Amino acid sequence: MTPRQTAKYWSEFQRVRDVLIARGIDKQQIESKRHELHKKALGHHKSSKDFTNADLDKVLAAFLAITEPGNLRAQLRQLEQPAARKADVWTQIEAILSELRIGTDAATGGGDLARRRLAYVEGIVARVIRGKRTWAELTDKEAAVLLGIMQKRVLSQRRASGKLEAAQAAVDDGDPWL
């Protein structure tokens, strides 16, 4: 987990801990309860240090079931985070495709812009992501890998077209998709 994810995990567990103490759970049993929650959420025991994004989402949803038992929306929202991350990546990829002018040339195969762009992205997926052929098959983590590839392409094109200064300025300015 990243430092931010670790901080989020421990912050949310502190809320769980407070609820458990209020329910009369002995402080010595709380650590055991934390591991039980991992097992319940993931189907097996796993250290929080080894969590993937998906693992963290599931465990945080389990924490919310304790801290906000009447708020099913919050629990479901947490479980929907992989799809939200993937949608965010697609938005960033679309911006890159626009800058690269992918799909805007009629010579790229006709059809509507969205379909041509999806075909372009899926061509990369098929070549780069082992065992996957379509955008829909990607996990949020694989989508992030694809985004990294697209980011490198746009930087390469900027350099090749003499926009190196613009590319460097965008990186320096913290451009969210570079």
Side-chain angles (χ1 to χ4, degrees):
M1 291 194 301
T2 67
R4 275 183 71 191
Q5 289 172 319
T6 300
K8 174 75 172 170
Y9 171 87
W10 287 110
S11 172
E12 290 299 319
F13 183 71
Q14 182 61 44
R15 294 178 60 214
V16 170
R17 185 177 185 277
D18 294 344
V19 169
L20 295 176
I21 289 172
R23 290 182 185 168
I25 303 288
D26 187 316
K27 289 183 181 182
Q28 283 87 16
Q29 295 175 332
I30 294 207
E31 184 65 13
S32 173
K33 184 69 173 169
R34 182 173 70 90
H35 291 285
E36 287 176 33
L37 287 169
H38 289 192
K39 187 173 183 177
K40 180 179 178 183
L42 304 174
H44 61 289
H45 175 72
K46 189 172 191 179
S47 169
S48 62
K49 293 176 184 175
D50 298 325
F51 282 179
T52 63
N53 285 338
D55 294 338
L56 179 61
D57 292 331
K58 291 173 187 173
V59 171
L60 291 177
F63 288 177
L64 286 168
I66 292 172
T67 60
E68 300 180 36
N71 190 349
L72 181 59
R73 186 175 307 194
Q75 296 168 45
L76 291 175
R77 185 175 53 246
Q78 189 61 50
L79 291 173
E80 293 167 353
Q81 286 303 301
R85 283 190 295 271
K86 190 174 172 186
D88 180 56
V89 166
W90 182 255
T91 299
Q92 294 175 62
I93 286 175
E94 283 183 320
I96 292 170
L97 293 170
S98 291
E99 181 172 338
L100 294 175
R101 302 183 44 83
I102 301 298
T104 59
D105 183 350
T108 59
D112 68 90
L113 179 64
R115 192 173 68 236
R116 290 191 308 262
R117 287 184 171 174
L118 180 60
Y120 178 86
V121 168
E122 289 183 342
I124 297 170
V125 168
R127 287 189 308 274
V128 176
I129 309 293
R130 176 174 285 187
K132 304 289 173 92
R133 301 201 53 80
T134 66
W135 168 260
E137 294 176 276
L138 298 182
T139 65
D140 60 320
K141 189 172 184 176
E142 291 166 334
V145 168
L146 180 65
L147 175 60
I149 292 166
M150 298 297 295
Q151 289 168 336
K152 287 180 183 177
R153 284 187 179 200
V154 77
L155 284 175
S156 176
Q157 181 167 331
R158 285 178 181 175
R159 287 183 186 108
S161 66
K163 296 180 183 175
L164 179 60
E165 297 81 20
Q168 188 58 51
V171 170
D172 293 343
D173 290 342
D175 190 325
W177 54 269
L178 291 176

